[in-house]
Amino acid sequence: EPLCAQDQDRGWAHNDDQTVLHNSEFSVKSTIISRYAFTTVSCRMLNRASEDQDIEFQMQIPAAAFITNFTMLIGDKVYQGEITERAKKSGDRVKEKRNKTTEENGEKGTEIFRASAVIPSKDKAAFFLSYEELLQRRLGKYEHSISVRPQQLSGRLSVEVIILESAGIASLEVLPLHNSRQRGSGRGEDDSGPPPSTVINQNETFANIIFKPSVVQQAKIAQNGVLGDFIIRYDVNREQSIGDIQVLNGYFVHYFAPKDLPPLPKNVVFVLDSSASMVGTKLRQTKDALFTILHDLRPQDRFSIIGFSNRIKVWKDHLISVTPDSIRDGKVYIHHMSPTGGTDINGALQRAIRLLNKYVAHNDIGDRSVSLIIFLTDGKPTVGETHTLKILNNTREAARGQVCIFTIGIGNDVDFRLLEKLSLENCGLTRRVHEEEDAGSQLIGFYDEIRTPLLSDIHIDYPPSSVVQATKTLFPNYFNGSEIIIAGKLVDRKLDHLHVEVTASNSKKFVILKTDVPVGPQKAGKDVTGSPRPEGDGEGDPNHIERLWSYLTTKELLSSWLQSDDELEKERLRQRAQDLALSYRFLIPFTSMKLRGPVPRKDGLEEAHGMSAAMGPEPVVQSVRGAGTQPGPLLEKPYQPRIKISKTSVDGDPHFVVDFPLSKLTVCFNIDGQPGDILRLVSDHMDSGVTVNGELIGAPAPPNGHKKQRTYFRTITILVNKPERSYLEITPSRVILDGGDRLVLPCNQSVVVGSRGLEVAVSANANVTVTIQGSIAFVILIHLYKKPAPFQRHHLGFYIANSKGLSSNCHGLLGQFLNQDARLTEDPAGPSQNLTHLPLLQAGEGPEAVLKVKGHQVPVVWKQRKIYNGEEQIDCWFARNNAAKLIDGEYKDYLASHPFDTGMTLGRGTSREL
């Protein structure tokens, strides 16, 4: 909770004049652009005492938000937060440290950020925290909630929210301050409408909301500074049935929330925990809520009720249609449920799924109805199958993606992780109800979100030639009042229309929407001055749609990581999520916040929210994210940004890509070798002393393919001859480094080793980065298959990240192009067009041209190719026939006799016969 608070043991002096730590300012500023919210909190404290004082800064933030920045100013010293990799404990699973709020700390649906410090006597401190969040639409509204709990009356308290929605703001309201736990008096004199002093200015697409209570107004709300949550709810206009698509600098977001559709029939089974622990208020509130929900069922719905403890008690062994009589009978059955015995979660779920599957199989309405289980428990499995993995597997196998499970966990003893996974794996949602909250009203609110299914089995498709790296595009259900959001990258930034196809089922039939959505050229909006958006990479304002894409992608990777039971896949997902989070500065379970400092404060820094503070070498004791995080030592060396991989590479069934940055041309070719062949990739033994060779393995061709066989690189060998000789052999499972001492590094553990100008960094099951003398860097991607098909093999991809240290005499299949340039002599698109933005072509190959490189005239065709593990699509000019006219010599000239063969048959001092 925003607490700029004194050490907890000391408590607060009641008389404000005697409060030794005085909160001189607490301010929050949020900018919401197209549902994506950037928030910065500033808190300033003054130590009036004659001795140093401990202080803890706390801020309650939404559970869905990612922290992106934290800075502390203590006196004239700056401590700057830095997002780094979270160290993995060897052999241990990554534990999710996101402190879901427990009894003593936050409101529901929030988490607490903490940092502690010591303020010298008569000195000042300031804390700046930034976080970002994509607002979710629920019950037809977006909700933005800001915790205002400075823990004492603040000299200057302000909350400012700016909303920019290009679609237009359809409705906007500011709710009364909300405190679900009455720790503050939290009761203003007027509890309907916005809090006192709130000012709202808005037009069609813009709103500015300011809440700035004076000290007297604060005191009327809550003497102890626990004002509560400042909540804004709004919705936007929706014109097109296919949704709203927004584009900015190569990234797009698609919001899909159709309305005015007839509801789909629901087949719903209510599964209610009636074990002994539900006795009293919990069971009574739950029963009352179910009475309300039963009355809300529609005539076309079907339902049944299951109570479970040690035994599974089924009201009817089939689904019942909704009539006044059946609703009355159902209520009587619920009324007579009595709490007793243990908790057979597995048995109850199996029984509920059987009921639904049986009904759908016999009534042929599967496509035109939605099957749901609403499952409520306050405990852990204690009877029947109690092993959580088995419960998850049993449920998944029985439900087969046809039954969505919505779970509600009540109180502190519930196995919330199990419920979360049950819902994640079975197309549902989950909610947690705290012990002292009203379980009934929570249950009704949750049911309201899913009471009106409008579409099922939704597929949203974009042309693969136009869109890459899109977030999830398949959705089991769409409920009225919610919203489907997809983000991705556009292949061509100049695209003026994006083709979108939506297929889904509704109550009457199969729905297909197809349309070309105009995507006008847009530049980042510069009309919000002083907004707390994070600093970009020196390129002006950050792209909010790019950040939305990275936020959504990271969330989906975390969700997949949570669902996966396969260690290899889990590690790959963890690594991808971590890389993305480091790149966009998100604090997630796989990254951590380190404080660097102190460094002297620069002038004007205080006003700049501490965003540009420099980083110093000394650690400061800190505690981030509350419970269980001990102040630990900082990394031995500051985190180095990840090397940016270039396009110049060879990967897959060897597909070569060469980038000519000067002419902005990319050329690609294939080499069809034989299993066992060792290919010279980079040969620069005489100058920089670097040689890279790759050994091929074979695999059968995929069925219906044009090739007789496939080949992949199984081993990449690197010989470094200067300053001293080192040998590196890399396979998908291990790295051998032999440079005096022989080291064997397994590829499933992250590690960095280095000596004599050579550094090898293994990123577990993802890649190996080899850096030589700081001026040459290669990245070897590791491709592993969980269950390889006959034509797949674990293999490697080789990417040249930095070639500055390689000489102009460098040769090899890739090396010969590194210091060259190329140009097109026949431009099929006409001289006026930029070749990096050729018109996109349909499947197959595009226009032909002639490429001039190193004196060769090479016929080439325009093509698209996937690189970087198939995650990115590039456009390139393709040289056919094993690159016969592109490369010096012929294929056999590039065959090495052994993995560390440094000979060069081509290149310096060799004459080439044409």
Side-chain angles (χ1 to χ4, degrees):
E1 351 202 317
L3 115 85
C4 248
Q6 196 173 349
D7 199 0
Q8 302 300 294
D9 299 335
R10 299 187 182 179
W12 291 98
H14 291 294
N15 182 334
D16 201 29
D17 293 338
Q18 295 164 352
T19 304
V20 290
L21 282 170
H22 170 61
N23 185 315
S24 56
E25 182 189 334
F26 176 81
S27 69
V28 183
K29 190 159 185 185
S30 271
T31 303
I32 303 167
I33 315 174
S34 302
R35 293 68 141 180
Y36 193 71
F38 299 91
T39 304
T40 294
V41 183
S42 314
C43 183
R44 297 174 195 277
M45 301 295 290
L46 172 64
N47 177 10
R48 293 169 168 169
S50 48
E51 67 270 0
D52 295 355
Q53 295 287 329
D54 291 322
I55 186 171
E56 182 178 64
F57 167 75
Q58 275 186 206
M59 180 69 192
Q60 199 169 279
I61 68 165
F66 289 150
I67 287 170
T68 55
N69 211 328
F70 177 63
T71 304
M72 272 193 328
L73 310 183
I74 309 292
D76 61 354
K77 302 272 196 324
V78 176
Y79 299 88
Q80 172 74 45
E82 182 185 357
I83 307 270
T84 64
E85 293 188 21
R86 182 184 288 280
K88 277 179 68 182
K89 298 179 184 69
S90 58
D92 194 3
R93 285 268 193 98
V94 180
K95 296 284 192 297
E96 193 167 5
K97 277 288 200 312
R98 285 191 68 124
N99 168 30
K100 300 286 182 206
T101 52
T102 51
E103 193 75 51
E104 72 280 1
N105 48 23
E107 309 286 312
K108 76 183 180 72
T110 65
E111 292 170 354
I112 291 183
F113 173 91
R114 287 191 175 90
S116 47
V118 176
I119 309 188
S121 162
K122 310 292 184 194
D123 216 335
K124 291 186 293 189
F127 303 90
F128 305 101
L129 177 72
S130 298
Y131 58 87
E132 295 175 19
E133 169 192 24
L134 177 61
L135 304 183
Q136 294 295 320
R137 189 168 184 251
R138 289 206 177 119
L139 303 174
K141 296 275 192 288
Y142 303 101
E143 186 171 289
H144 184 52
S145 176
I146 294 168
S147 177
V148 186
R149 296 175 173 82
Q151 304 293 305
Q152 55 164 286
L153 301 176
S154 175
R156 287 198 308 278
L157 191 150
S158 72
V159 175
E160 181 177 9
V161 180
I162 291 168
I163 301 173
L164 287 161
E165 290 289 352
S166 56
I169 298 169
S171 64
L172 178 120
E173 59 176 332
V174 179
L175 277 57
L177 288 166
H178 175 76
N179 244 329
S180 67
R181 314 204 177 159
Q182 297 306 322
R183 274 179 298 182
S185 51
R187 282 279 154 261
E189 54 218 28
D190 174 17
D191 248 3
S192 61
S197 83
T198 305
V199 178
I200 302 170
N201 287 305
Q202 73 179 103
N203 61 25
E204 277 177 30
T205 59
F206 169 87
N208 180 289
I209 299 115
I210 295 176
F211 169 57
K212 216 170 183 174
S214 65
V215 176
V216 173
Q217 286 171 316
Q218 291 173 50
K220 282 185 178 173
I221 298 167
Q223 285 285 346
N224 61 359
V226 181
L227 277 67
D229 295 317
F230 183 80
I231 300 171
I232 294 166
R233 278 193 192 140
Y234 74 96
D235 198 19
V236 300
N237 296 320
R238 288 179 173 76
E239 300 303 326
Q240 291 205 32
S241 58
I242 201 139
D244 176 23
I245 293 183
Q246 298 181 18
V247 173
L248 184 60
N249 297 341
Y251 288 82
F252 79 91
V253 59
H254 181 186
Y255 300 101
F256 180 62
K259 50 185 197 278
D260 305 328
L261 293 166
L264 279 161
K266 296 192 292 292
N267 316 314
V268 58
V269 179
F270 298 97
V271 183
L272 185 60
D273 185 342
S274 59
S275 61
S277 55
M278 287 286 290
V279 70
T281 316
K282 278 192 281 196
L283 192 59
R284 193 188 68 249
Q285 288 175 345
T286 303
K287 286 179 174 183
D288 289 346
L290 279 173
F291 295 161
T292 306
I293 288 169
L294 289 180
H295 278 293
D296 183 73
L297 291 172
R298 297 186 179 87
Q300 73 261 37
D301 294 341
R302 296 284 184 278
F303 77 109
S304 189
I305 301 156
I306 292 177
F308 72 97
S309 53
N310 297 27
R311 293 172 42 237
I312 313 297
K313 299 175 277 270
V314 183
W315 171 48
K316 306 275 187 196
D317 66 353
H318 56 283
L319 293 190
I320 304 293
S321 52
V322 174
T323 64
D325 287 353
S326 65
I327 295 298
R328 188 193 63 235
D329 292 351
K331 286 171 69 175
V332 169
Y333 181 77
I334 291 168
H335 177 73
H336 284 114
M337 275 186 187
S338 57
T340 173
T343 313
D344 184 359
I345 287 176
N346 184 67
L349 284 168
Q350 289 296 312
R351 197 66 192 275
I353 294 167
R354 272 207 304 277
L355 277 180
L356 289 162
N357 284 344
K358 189 169 121 188
Y359 172 74
V360 171
H362 288 94
N363 291 275
D364 188 32
I365 68 155
D367 282 351
R368 298 183 310 286
S369 69
V370 171
S371 295
L372 313 173
I373 291 173
I374 294 177
F375 181 88
L376 187 141
T377 182
D378 72 338
K380 301 177 175 69
T382 59
V383 176
E385 181 57 73
T386 56
H387 191 263
T388 53
L389 267 181
K390 289 219 176 98
I391 296 172
L392 289 164
N393 285 337
N394 294 346
T395 307
R396 197 168 52 237
E397 283 169 18
R400 299 191 317 276
Q402 305 304 304
V403 175
C404 296
I405 301 175
F406 294 83
T407 57
I408 296 152
I410 302 179
N412 300 325
D413 297 326
V414 73
D415 185 348
F416 192 67
R417 177 56 64 84
L418 170 64
L419 297 186
E420 192 174 32
K421 286 191 82 166
L422 277 169
S423 292
L424 264 176
E425 292 182 359
N426 299 284
C427 58
L429 301 165
T430 187
R431 290 282 182 278
R432 187 173 206 159
V433 179
H434 285 287
E435 198 75 60
E436 70 289 353
E437 289 175 327
D438 178 354
S441 64
Q442 294 287 326
L443 176 54
I444 290 170
F446 189 34
Y447 170 78
D448 281 346
E449 288 185 42
I450 58 176
R451 65 188 285 263
T452 314
L454 297 181
L455 294 172
S456 68
D457 198 21
I458 303 125
H459 295 237
I460 301 184
D461 292 309
Y462 313 95
S465 59
S466 303
V467 168
V468 289
Q469 293 185 5
T471 55
K472 190 171 69 174
T473 56
L474 300 175
F475 302 87
N477 297 305
Y478 166 70
F479 296 100
N480 193 35
S482 67
E483 182 170 56
I484 285 171
I485 303 178
I486 299 157
K489 297 184 185 181
L490 293 176
V491 173
D492 178 10
R493 286 186 177 207
K494 293 188 173 173
L495 200 68
D496 55 2
H497 279 82
L498 180 59
H499 184 70
V500 183
E501 285 189 20
V502 178
T503 54
S505 300
N506 76 358
S507 60
K508 299 281 184 287
K509 59 182 183 320
F510 197 56
V511 182
I512 300 184
L513 298 170
K514 287 186 188 185
T515 186
D516 284 335
V517 182
V519 292
Q522 296 183 21
K523 290 282 170 274
K526 306 273 181 183
D527 49 348
V528 189
T529 50
S531 68
R533 297 195 240 169
E535 73 279 23
D537 298 322
E539 297 175 13
D541 285 350
N543 179 342
H544 65 275
I545 297 182
E546 179 182 353
R547 293 200 69 81
L548 185 156
W549 166 82
S550 61
Y551 172 96
L552 209 48
T553 306
T554 305
K555 284 278 181 203
E556 288 182 5
L557 288 168
L558 289 172
S559 175
S560 301
W561 177 86
L562 198 61
Q563 286 181 60
S564 174
D565 296 323
D566 179 276
E567 287 301 316
L568 211 60
E569 184 189 29
K570 233 176 155 56
E571 179 53 38
R572 195 151 57 238
L573 289 164
R574 189 195 70 83
Q575 188 68 49
R576 283 183 61 197
Q578 185 185 68
D579 290 352
L580 201 59
L582 289 172
S583 173
Y584 286 91
R585 296 188 309 282
F586 292 146
L587 185 58
I588 67 167
F590 310 136
T591 56
S592 58
M593 174 81 78
K594 304 286 185 193
L595 284 177
R596 303 263 178 241
V599 293
R601 193 168 89 209
K602 298 174 185 170
D603 289 345
L605 178 61
E606 199 160 352
E607 281 60 51
H609 291 331
M611 288 289 192
S612 57
M615 301 202 184
E618 297 170 44
V620 58
V621 172
Q622 37 132 16
S623 156
V624 173
R625 280 266 157 141
T629 44
Q630 289 302 313
L634 282 132
L635 295 176
E636 287 76 12
K637 60 174 189 175
Y639 166 74
Q640 296 294 322
R642 296 192 73 77
I643 292 170
K644 183 168 167 38
I645 301 181
S646 79
K647 291 181 199 164
T648 299
S649 61
V650 54
D651 209 340
D653 176 8
H655 290 174
F656 289 72
V657 176
V658 176
D659 203 23
F660 294 100
L662 289 175
S663 49
K664 293 187 175 165
L665 285 176
T666 304
V667 176
C668 49
F669 57 96
N670 297 347
I671 293 285
D672 291 334
Q674 293 301 313
D677 283 357
I678 299 168
L679 304 187
R680 305 179 195 280
L681 302 177
V682 177
S683 304
D684 201 24
H685 183 68
M686 304 297 288
D687 293 273
S688 66
V690 173
T691 302
V692 182
N693 295 328
E695 182 173 351
L696 295 174
I697 51 164
N704 310 322
H706 60 285
K707 293 188 172 184
K708 295 190 181 64
Q709 65 172 1
R710 283 188 154 192
T711 49
Y712 301 93
F713 283 115
R714 177 181 61 187
T715 310
I716 299 286
T717 49
I718 301 173
L719 173 67
V720 182
N721 209 32
K722 296 177 181 178
E724 291 175 60
R725 184 169 282 224
S726 299
Y727 298 87
L728 259 174
E729 185 179 290
I730 300 159
T731 71
S733 59
R734 50 137 181 80
V735 177
I736 298 174
L737 172 57
D738 199 341
D741 296 319
R742 183 180 160 92
L743 273 178
V744 181
L745 310 171
C747 285
N748 60 2
Q749 291 173 25
S750 294
V751 65
V752 180
V753 296
S755 69
R756 303 184 298 185
L758 176 69
E759 187 186 88
V760 179
V762 180
S763 180
N765 292 330
N767 59 59
V768 179
T769 303
V770 179
T771 311
I772 302 158
Q773 305 290 358
S775 62
I776 301 168
F778 306 129
V779 178
I780 294 93
L781 291 193
I782 302 169
H783 301 305
L784 301 169
Y785 296 93
K786 200 163 56 168
K787 293 177 181 160
F791 54 89
Q792 292 172 327
R793 295 282 185 271
H794 296 327
H795 66 280
L796 302 171
F798 175 76
Y799 293 75
I800 298 176
N802 182 359
S803 59
K804 285 196 179 78
L806 293 169
S807 78
S808 55
N809 297 314
C810 183
H811 213 274
L813 282 167
L814 284 174
Q816 63 188 296
F817 301 110
L818 288 176
N819 295 291
Q820 305 294 331
D821 203 5
R823 60 191 176 86
L824 287 177
T825 53
E826 289 174 28
D827 178 356
S832 63
Q833 282 201 350
N834 180 343
L835 286 164
T836 53
H837 294 296
L838 266 174
L840 288 175
L841 294 138
Q842 296 311 309
E845 294 175 345
E848 301 202 2
V850 174
L851 184 81
K852 192 163 184 186
V853 56
K854 300 203 306 179
H856 311 179
Q857 302 274 347
V858 188
V860 287
V861 291
W862 185 249
K863 196 170 186 174
Q864 288 183 322
R865 164 157 285 178
K866 283 189 162 57
I867 60 170
Y868 308 168
N869 201 10
E871 285 171 17
E872 193 156 314
Q873 193 155 292
I874 56 158
D875 298 318
C876 62
W877 290 102
F878 180 72
R880 294 194 184 102
N881 304 331
N882 274 351
K885 298 200 170 168
L886 176 69
I887 58 174
D888 290 340
E890 54 191 347
Y891 175 74
K892 65 180 175 52
D893 297 327
Y894 295 88
L895 294 178
S897 57
H898 60 85
F900 293 101
D901 180 2
T902 59
M904 267 201 319
T905 53
L906 295 165
R908 180 166 64 173
T910 62
S911 62
R912 177 169 176 266
E913 288 179 24
L914 292 170

